[in-house]
Amino acid sequence: MQHAVGSPLPQPHQPGQGPHAGWAPAAHHPGPPPGAPQGTVPVPPAPQVPPAPDTTGHVPLPPGGPVGVPAESPAPATVPDPTTTTLAVLLIGPAGAGKTSVAKYWADHRRVPTAHISLDDVREWVRSGFADPQSGWNDNSEAQYRLARRTCGFAARNFLANGISCILDDAVFPDRPVVGLGGWKRHVGPGLLPVVLLPGLDIVLERNAERTGNRRLTDEEVARIHGRMAGWYGSGLPIIDNSQLDVPGTARVLDEVLARAIASPPSW
């Protein structure tokens, strides 16, 4: 086809020009699913709504790790208040010293979350086949003791990692490595603060007489354990003689001892 000279040549179509300027294809809407009645309008899926803030679900917990010793002792003016500081305390003492009663009271009356972990309680989780040390210390009773101590340490590390203080109690002997401080230091960490509760022999005999079940010992056994506990004198660990103190009074003294221990952690 020829065009006259001077006649405009056909121009290629430009967007927005021509008879259909401004026209755009309609958005694609999927048709009804196969088998649906004629005239059915497909319903779009509901938008995803984030859960409400108070909805329960998986809560990640920090992993527990050994409790470390402070890098340096704080100045006296900046010593943390032991009643509000996250602590790991090991209360040591013979049978009848009042460890469990004091530990429970201390944990109950703190202003921060605090857990009480008793080694005797954990040992007695074993029902059938419980190896009672009173029946004789042997490989089986030692294995169950070690297992209970490791379980207590694992629990304490996890509580502490999540901001919950712990007080543990155990009859730790100064001259017996198997039932000694080394295992607690290994399982909880060097930041554990040990405190010895050591009333007079007459007091522990009186308290032991009020016990029942396998927690009650013979007078001879109580006297023997109490005598061995005297080895803690001169060890450098803080010792509380609670012979003339009730449980609340002993807990108050424990706070005073812990304040000093935080300022100058005992070497053990």
Side-chain angles (χ1 to χ4, degrees):
M1 178 178 178
Q2 295 182 350
H3 298 276
V5 177
S7 298
L9 296 176
Q11 299 297 317
H13 175 71
Q14 298 294 329
Q17 298 178 356
H20 301 291
W23 174 87
H28 175 68
H29 294 283
Q38 292 296 323
T40 300
V41 177
V43 178
Q48 296 294 323
V49 179
D54 58 348
T55 301
T56 59
H58 176 70
V59 179
L61 299 176
V67 184
V69 175
E72 58 183 28
S73 299
T78 61
V79 172
D81 182 352
T83 64
T84 58
T85 304
T86 302
L87 299 173
V89 180
L90 174 62
L91 202 56
I92 300 168
K99 300 185 301 297
T100 300
S101 298
V102 171
K104 286 181 176 179
Y105 183 92
W106 186 80
D108 285 342
H109 292 81
R110 299 195 78 222
R111 287 180 282 170
V112 294
T114 304
H116 168 230
I117 305 173
S118 172
L119 182 123
D120 282 344
D121 288 347
V122 176
R123 279 198 308 113
E124 292 176 359
W125 287 355
V126 178
R127 308 304 297 175
S128 177
F130 172 65
D132 189 348
Q134 296 182 44
S135 301
W137 187 264
N138 51 42
D139 290 346
N140 196 22
S141 54
E142 179 179 329
Q144 289 190 10
Y145 171 83
R146 288 177 180 271
L147 178 60
R149 184 173 59 189
R150 185 172 62 190
T151 302
C152 291
F154 177 82
R157 292 198 311 269
N158 279 281
F159 277 124
L160 292 160
N162 289 275
I164 300 177
S165 293
C166 289
I167 183 166
L168 308 105
D169 68 78
D170 183 22
V172 180
F173 290 91
D175 59 346
R176 194 171 184 181
V178 172
V179 193
L181 281 176
W184 284 111
K185 187 174 185 178
R186 200 164 50 246
H187 294 305
V188 180
L192 182 66
L193 299 174
V195 178
V196 181
L197 208 58
L198 193 56
L201 177 59
D202 56 335
I203 300 297
V204 297
L205 286 170
E206 180 182 331
R207 292 173 180 169
N208 178 69
E210 299 172 356
R211 292 183 165 195
T212 59
N214 60 14
R215 299 285 180 101
R216 182 172 180 175
L217 308 178
T218 64
D219 287 353
E220 293 77 11
E221 182 71 5
V222 170
R224 187 181 67 83
I225 293 174
H226 186 273
R228 294 176 67 179
M229 288 287 174
W232 288 118
Y233 284 103
S235 67
L237 297 188
I239 297 176
I240 300 174
D241 181 347
N242 60 326
S243 300
Q244 305 302 320
L245 297 172
D246 59 7
V247 170
T250 306
R252 287 193 296 272
V253 174
L254 177 59
D255 276 329
E256 296 171 5
V257 168
L258 291 173
R260 294 193 295 269
I262 294 171
S264 180
S267 59
W268 55 289

